[in-house]
């Protein structure tokens, strides 16, 4: 969610019980502005917090002119000092997906694989060392997994230019209350998958400038999102059951929206059996 709107936004998503202490809010309010200045980001989003055994990681994302371009990700252990995370790779995501258990809260902590595949066995034979992955790499891979799976925006909030870049839609004035209660009104803010498989007939009614992403209505498994009205019916809140701790909010008929994550960084693999 937008760093400058953080205090108000945290109040809107507080229904789930997650949040920040007044001290942390005050510190973030100033440190994120300094972060934006020092790294020369156009925008800074406060992504959320991943709770570890011995400490917590507070995550921020820096954005450039193209909002769909890869984001710079940073973490802090105290909400004051920020460290830049390495760019994520598919190998990191694959390796992190094989790790289980909670984060430790130490970026230099090294995990050893309990199960080895053929590639790991070959590396062990050549190097004579156990394959390991640092918690810092697991952290950025987990953030990427969550963004891909449940990082969402309202339909029409962003537009795609003919040249392919994505920017905020200045004409976006929010969804109506009726639209805001439908999953089809929200898009995954990542590279589309289902859209590419649609036929020309299915694409005929789509606006290429706004409908360039996948909507939530076809998410698998069905029922992985809850939609609720809170604050006396003035705020629509979506919560992910796949990545417990991800909360999205939107105030209908306004430009106020965003998502934030407060969790332990573990995917709810039992969801299909719970529905």
């Amino acid at each position: 969610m937008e760093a400058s709107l953080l205090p108000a936004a945290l109040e809107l998503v507080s229904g789930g019980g997650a949040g920040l202490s007044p001290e942390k809010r005050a510190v973030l309010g100033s440190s994120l502005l300094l972060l934006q200045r020092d790294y020369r980001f156009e925008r800074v989003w406060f992504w959320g917090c991943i709770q570890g055994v011995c400490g917590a990681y507070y995550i921020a994302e820096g954005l450039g002119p193209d909002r769909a371009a890869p984001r710079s990700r940073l973490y802090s252990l105290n909400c004051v000092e920020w460290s830049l995370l390495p760019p994520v790779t598919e190998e990191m995501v694959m390796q992190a997906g094989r790790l289980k258990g909670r984060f430790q809260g130490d970026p230099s902590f090294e995990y050893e694989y309990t199960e080895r595949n053929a590639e790991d066995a070959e590396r062990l034979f050549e190097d004579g060392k156990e394959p390991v992955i640092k918690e810092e790499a697991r952290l950025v891979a987990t953030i990427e997994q969550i963004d891909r799976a449940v990082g969402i925006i309202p339909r029409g909030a962003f537009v795609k230019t003919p040249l392919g870049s994505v920017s905020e839609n200045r004409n976006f004035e929010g969804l109506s209350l009726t639209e805001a209660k439908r999953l089809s009104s929200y898009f995954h803010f990542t590279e589309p998958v289902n859209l590419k498989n649609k036929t020309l007939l299915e694409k005929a009614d789509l606006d290429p400038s706004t409908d360039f992403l996948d909507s939530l209505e076809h998410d698998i498994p069905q029922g992985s999102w809850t939609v609720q009205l809170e604050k006396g019916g003035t705020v629509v809140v979506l919560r992910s059951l796949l990545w417990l701790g991800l909360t999205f909010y939107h105030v209908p008929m306004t430009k106020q929206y965003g998502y934030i994550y407060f969790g332990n960084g573990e995917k709810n693999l039992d969801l299909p059996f719970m529905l």
Side-chain angles (χ1 to χ4, degrees):
M1 57 178 60
E2 190 74 36
S4 58
L5 304 175
L6 188 60
L10 285 172
E11 290 295 330
L12 297 178
V13 299
S14 61
L20 295 171
S21 65
E23 294 80 6
K24 286 286 191 295
R25 293 188 192 190
V27 171
L28 279 173
S30 57
S31 69
L32 290 176
L33 293 176
L34 294 174
L35 185 70
Q36 181 175 357
R37 184 200 66 183
D38 294 343
Y39 285 88
R40 298 182 181 179
F41 294 134
E42 280 206 359
R43 293 282 181 87
V44 169
W45 286 354
F46 179 65
W47 184 88
C49 172
I50 293 181
Q51 185 68 46
V53 176
C54 302
Y57 294 104
Y58 300 92
I59 313 298
E61 294 185 326
L63 290 82
D66 185 357
R67 299 296 191 256
R71 305 164 201 167
S72 298
R73 296 184 171 111
L74 305 97
Y75 73 91
S76 174
L77 300 175
N78 55 12
C79 295
V80 177
E81 300 169 336
W82 295 88
S83 301
L84 191 65
L85 285 165
V88 69
T89 63
E90 289 302 322
E91 184 182 4
M92 284 182 185
V93 175
M94 182 184 66
Q95 290 174 340
R98 294 161 53 195
L99 297 174
K100 297 179 181 179
R102 294 187 59 183
F103 282 79
Q104 297 300 308
D106 177 9
S108 61
F109 182 82
E110 294 184 342
Y111 294 90
E112 292 185 2
Y113 300 118
T114 55
E115 299 177 4
R116 298 194 192 99
N117 57 22
E119 185 180 342
D120 294 335
E122 183 179 351
R123 192 176 303 170
L124 176 61
F125 178 77
E126 291 178 354
D127 301 339
K129 296 180 180 178
E130 288 280 356
V132 297
I133 177 173
K134 284 192 175 183
E135 183 154 283
E136 187 180 65
R138 183 191 180 190
L139 179 64
V140 70
T142 301
I143 297 169
E144 178 70 14
Q145 284 180 294
I146 294 173
D147 271 342
R148 289 181 187 179
V150 290
I152 61 176
I153 58 170
R155 181 181 183 271
F158 287 78
V159 292
K160 188 174 185 178
T161 68
L163 298 177
S165 62
V166 176
S167 60
E168 280 97 348
N169 183 3
R170 296 182 180 179
N171 297 320
F172 177 70
E173 296 296 336
L175 302 172
S176 67
L177 183 58
T178 303
E179 291 174 329
K181 292 188 288 186
R182 294 199 297 256
L183 285 179
S184 58
S185 298
Y186 301 96
F187 291 156
H188 289 282
F189 198 33
T190 187
E191 188 69 23
V193 176
N194 297 330
L195 185 66
K196 296 177 180 178
N197 299 327
K198 289 189 176 182
T199 64
L200 292 176
L201 187 61
E202 291 174 319
K203 293 180 180 179
D205 296 330
L206 301 180
D207 184 343
S209 64
T210 56
D211 300 318
F212 57 93
L213 300 168
D214 289 334
S215 73
L216 270 61
E217 60 180 333
H218 301 300
D219 279 13
I220 299 174
Q222 289 285 338
S224 61
W225 290 96
T226 66
V227 182
Q228 298 171 315
L229 291 176
E230 298 186 0
K231 305 294 183 183
T234 59
V235 182
V236 178
V237 176
L238 278 70
R239 292 187 174 89
S240 173
L241 301 179
L242 185 62
W243 287 94
L244 297 172
L246 190 288
T247 305
F248 172 89
Y249 77 94
H250 176 49
V251 182
M253 305 305 295
T254 74
K255 296 183 178 183
Q256 298 181 58
Y257 67 88
Y259 68 86
I260 195 165
Y261 178 81
F262 287 103
N264 57 15
E266 292 187 88
K267 191 175 183 179
N268 182 18
L269 299 177
D270 295 328
L271 179 61
F273 306 101
M274 297 166 62
L275 298 174

